[in-house]
Every structure is written in C-alpha cells, then in structure tokens.
Amino acid sequence: MRVVCFECGTQREFDPREYRCSCGSPWEPLERMDFDLQLIDRNASTLWRYKEIFGLEEVGVPLSLGAGWTPLVDMEFAGARTWFKLEFVSPTGSFKDRGTEVEMNYLKVAGVQEVVEDSSGNAGASMAAYAARAGLKASIFAPDSASPAKLAQIGIFGAELNKVPGPRIESTRAALKAVEDGAVYASHAYNPVYLLGQQSAAWELWEQFGQDVPDALVIPTGQGGLLMGAWLGFRRLVNAGMIQKMPRLFAAQPELLAPIHDAFTQNLDDIPEATPTHKSIAEGLAIVRPVRAKRLLQALRESEGGAITVTEEEIMHAYRQLALRGIFAEPSSAVAAAAVPKIREKLGSSERIAAALTGSGLKSPLKE
C-alpha cells in the first residue's frame, strides 16, 4: 500500500513497523482520483463491498466480523428532519470497527504477530476483538478511569489489558514504551490502513442517499479518525466526478475539552495541546491534541464546515432525546446530536443534516 506524509511529502510503501514518517507526522493513504461504480460488490453487506475500491491487493479473502454498512435512520429531531448514521451498530459497538477491520486484515497479511494500542475504551475493544479474529496477540493501554464496560470488553477478547493511572495521554505514553520493545503500534490515530477503512463511511452515506450526499455531516470528534476518513472518502468521490460538492463537515466537541474548536475559531493552522480542567461525560472525546491536527482543520475549512461545542447539560439532553426516539447512544455520540440544533441555526431548516452516532449506550450508560 502506498502512503504519503502530508507534512514533508515523502511517499513510500507502508511498513507497519514504522507507524509514522521520519519527520514525526502520520502516514496517509495515497490519494486516488478514481471511483468505479462497477467495482462495488453489491452482494456484500459489509464494508468489503468496497474491497476493490480500497485497492488492497494484499488482502485476499478478508477475515470479517461484519463491520460497515451501518443503518441510516431519519427522524424529526430538534424540530426538523435529521439523518442519523448508526455507527454503533458495529461488531464491538463502535465506529472504530470500520477502520480496525481493514487495518487488522492488512497487518495479518503483512506478517505482524503482536500489536499495541492505546485507547479510552472503544478503540481498545475493537483492536482486541479483531486481534482475536486474526489470531494476533494484543496489548491494550487504557486509562484506569475508563468505562468499566469498555475495559471488561477488552479483557473478554483475551487481550492484555494495562490500566494506566492519570489522564488519557498517559495511556499513549505507556503504549509507546511497549512499542520500543518490538511490538507493532496499531494505533487508530496513526495507522493509514485504519484511515482507509474509515473512508468507507463516506461511500456508504453516498449510496444510502441515492448516490447523493447530505448538506452537512456532524461527527463527534476526539482523535478525528472518522472525520478525517469521511473527508478523504468524499474527496475521492469529488475527484472522480461522482459528486459536485462534499457535505459541510462539522466537528462536535464538549465545551470542557475542545482543542479543535478553539484552534478553528482562532483561525490557527495547528492545534495547541489543551489542558483539561474538568472531566466531561463524553469520555471518548478526551483528546488534548489530535495526531492529525493540521489536516483536521484543513478538512473543516475545505468543506466549508466548522467546529461546534456543547455543554454537559446539552449532551445530557441530547442523550435523553435520542433514547426517547429509540436510539441508545453513548454520551460521546450524543455530542453530535447536541450540536445539530446549533448547526441547523447556522444553515437553516431546509438543509439536510446527518450526524454520526459513534458508540453504543451500553458502553458507558449514565445514571438517571
């Protein structure tokens, strides 16, 4: 698989043991200008319907748990019709499976035997599940304050669970120390194959909208893998002439920790590391500075979107409103729903707004 470093322009074949460029920046899949409708396997009801579009010749018959092709449900929400992409209807209950399934197939074919990941819960559970499916050894580093349900899920898949005291960043530091001992860092933040898998969310939306796209897409954003993947996926559709314009992309973040929002509103080209003062109920978004910081800001600006913050009260309200409509999403997902009214106020009631609900409410249920 060909990869490129956005920062220095280096191109090369991807080596999983070198998780980032020598300049320190993350690899991305080399951008492609084609998108052939005839290559979609319409008999497949998973993300592997795009196997030929991914261009991963290395992967023969993939090992699958059924990630992808998640439901798109429309309903009245915040006074207008809204589309919700139920990414939590995934094998381990989160959108992370979309990227992990593609990534782990690639790593298996590449001969990797041991992987390391750091996570606030969802990415770790996803990695643990797919490591079990692929027969790989997995070591997961997670904050000891993470949701007990997520930690239990990591453990049941047989991964080595390392609970790390302190804020989320300490789990990353601990994982990187393990990488120095020879394990492959299969980070959802850095791995370009994971990012390739996330592009399929854009292609699914395009198909589910009848080969069209919504006017805006709201994504709860911490590390930003889904937002970045969706942007690249829509760019490919634009490059191939399948759509004239991509949706306006909006990153939704809790007010208590919103480094992307702060950098975007200050018109910065990079995102300074934030210092959280209080913990948000949206624990899955507790990232002080995303790895792909510059590219995320570029994605928001190029798509003519933006960044929205919501209060803890607004998150709780959206969490309950979703539940009253039959959707049990975790608080981190409810951040996107809470942002919908604010985005609708900006864009108008006639605009078609979609929102990604990224994690199941069973992952971190709140006490009423």
Side-chain angles (χ1 to χ4, degrees):
M1 173 180 165
R2 296 291 293 177
V3 292
V4 61
C5 173
F6 165 74
E7 193 67 34
C8 71
T10 299
Q11 292 188 24
R12 55 171 291 178
E13 286 295 315
F14 178 52
D15 180 349
R17 293 159 186 82
E18 297 179 18
Y19 69 91
R20 62 182 179 180
C21 177
S22 59
C23 77
S25 296
W27 297 112
E28 294 180 17
L30 193 63
E31 191 166 24
R32 294 176 57 169
M33 308 295 288
D34 64 309
F35 190 94
D36 187 347
L37 271 173
Q38 303 305 313
L39 294 180
I40 298 176
D41 181 359
R42 300 188 186 280
N43 293 318
S45 57
T46 71
L47 55 76
W48 293 110
R49 68 194 283 112
Y50 307 115
K51 182 175 182 293
E52 298 301 319
I53 293 174
F54 286 140
L56 292 177
E57 293 82 5
E58 304 91 335
V59 177
V61 178
L63 296 170
S64 178
L65 289 175
W69 205 246
T70 56
L72 181 68
V73 177
D74 67 288
M75 60 181 65
E76 183 170 313
F77 188 85
R81 188 181 184 189
T82 304
W83 286 259
F84 290 105
K85 181 73 166 152
L86 306 188
E87 285 293 278
F88 63 81
V89 184
S90 298
T92 72
S94 92
F95 80 101
K96 296 293 199 314
D97 293 339
R98 185 181 292 282
T100 307
E101 182 157 319
V102 179
E103 175 190 2
M104 292 299 281
N105 270 276
Y106 183 91
L107 296 180
K108 174 74 172 178
V109 172
V112 173
Q113 297 180 335
E114 182 178 354
V115 293
V116 168
E117 168 71 298
D118 57 284
S119 165
S120 60
N122 282 337
S126 183
M127 183 64 64
Y130 281 97
R133 179 72 175 93
L136 306 184
K137 179 183 177 182
S139 298
I140 311 298
F141 293 81
D144 59 4
S145 59
S147 164
K150 294 178 182 179
L151 297 178
Q153 190 181 19
I154 292 170
I156 199 65
F157 291 128
E160 177 186 300
L161 174 59
N162 303 275
K163 299 180 184 179
V164 182
R168 171 67 176 81
I169 188 64
E170 295 303 324
S171 297
T172 300
R173 291 170 179 152
L176 289 174
K177 287 183 180 178
V179 171
E180 293 174 359
D181 295 331
V184 168
Y185 190 32
S187 167
H188 64 286
Y190 279 96
N191 193 280
V193 190
Y194 173 90
L195 198 58
L196 179 63
Q198 291 293 356
Q199 292 185 38
S200 63
W203 306 333
E204 282 183 19
L205 265 177
W206 172 73
E207 284 200 79
Q208 290 170 325
F209 267 87
Q211 296 185 16
D212 196 4
V213 292
D215 298 300
L217 174 61
V218 192
I219 299 175
T221 308
Q223 196 59 258
L226 182 56
L227 193 151
M228 184 75 184
W231 177 54
L232 294 177
F234 287 126
R235 274 174 64 118
R236 186 164 175 182
L237 291 174
V238 170
N239 290 339
M242 309 305 291
I243 56 176
Q244 297 302 309
K245 186 178 180 181
M246 72 171 65
R248 300 173 70 171
L249 301 176
F250 287 88
Q253 297 197 290
E255 211 173 69
L256 290 179
L257 182 59
I260 298 172
H261 168 269
D262 295 345
F264 181 85
T265 54
Q266 294 172 39
N267 202 31
L268 302 179
D269 293 326
D270 201 350
I271 301 174
E273 184 172 309
T275 303
T277 55
H278 297 85
K279 184 178 178 180
S280 171
I281 56 175
E283 63 173 13
L285 306 182
I287 302 297
V288 295
R289 182 187 181 275
V291 165
R292 303 181 186 274
K294 293 181 180 179
R295 292 290 266 169
L296 289 171
L297 293 174
Q298 182 183 349
L300 298 179
R301 290 174 178 137
E302 279 194 4
S303 69
E304 300 180 0
I308 304 293
T309 60
V310 291
T311 66
E312 298 299 289
E313 293 75 18
E314 288 168 333
I315 298 170
M316 277 299 302
H317 179 72
Y319 175 80
R320 296 190 180 103
Q321 289 302 306
L322 288 171
L324 291 174
R325 290 163 172 79
I327 297 177
F328 190 25
E330 68 173 323
S332 296
S333 295
V335 168
V340 167
K342 297 183 177 185
I343 294 170
R344 193 168 295 288
E345 187 176 335
K346 287 176 175 284
L347 304 185
S349 59
S350 63
E351 297 292 277
R352 296 180 302 173
I353 298 177
L357 301 181
T358 49
S360 168
L362 295 173
K363 294 276 196 163
S364 51
L366 297 178
K367 294 180 180 180
E368 291 295 321

